[in-house]
Amino acid sequence: MLDELHRPEIGVGASWTSVAVRDLHYGLGWFTAEYRGAHIVFHNGANPGYRASITLVPTSKVGVVALTNGDSMEFINAVTCA
């Protein structure tokens, strides 16, 4: 099931993220890309005063979730690389 959710479906332009990634695509609710030689899967969200991001590196079996009470994308990018 996770393979289906994370499979690249639609090519996305690089302007969708402020981090330099390659081969950016959108799957079933998840973005996929190459970042510094690693395949990553991620999704971000924002409401006024809040930011959230989850970034997974499936081959390394590692992930990072960042939830903030603020509008700083710089912090989210620094923590999750997405």
Side-chain angles (χ1 to χ4, degrees):
M1 178 65 81
L2 285 177
D3 288 342
E4 285 293 311
L5 291 173
H6 297 168
R7 186 177 69 226
E9 294 288 336
I10 301 167
V12 178
S15 63
W16 278 75
T17 181
S18 58
V19 177
V21 296
R22 296 181 39 196
D23 198 26
L24 182 62
H25 285 80
Y26 193 70
L28 298 176
W30 293 89
F31 289 98
T32 65
E34 296 295 320
Y35 179 73
R36 295 185 178 184
H39 174 74
I40 63 171
V41 179
F42 65 97
H43 193 85
N44 300 332
N47 281 317
Y50 303 95
R51 299 279 179 177
S53 180
I54 181 170
T55 302
L56 308 171
V57 184
T59 56
S60 298
K61 296 184 179 180
V62 67
V64 175
V65 175
L67 308 171
T68 66
N69 293 335
D71 290 320
S72 174
M73 275 311 295
E74 291 81 15
F75 176 77
I76 293 286
N77 290 342
V79 173
T80 64
C81 301

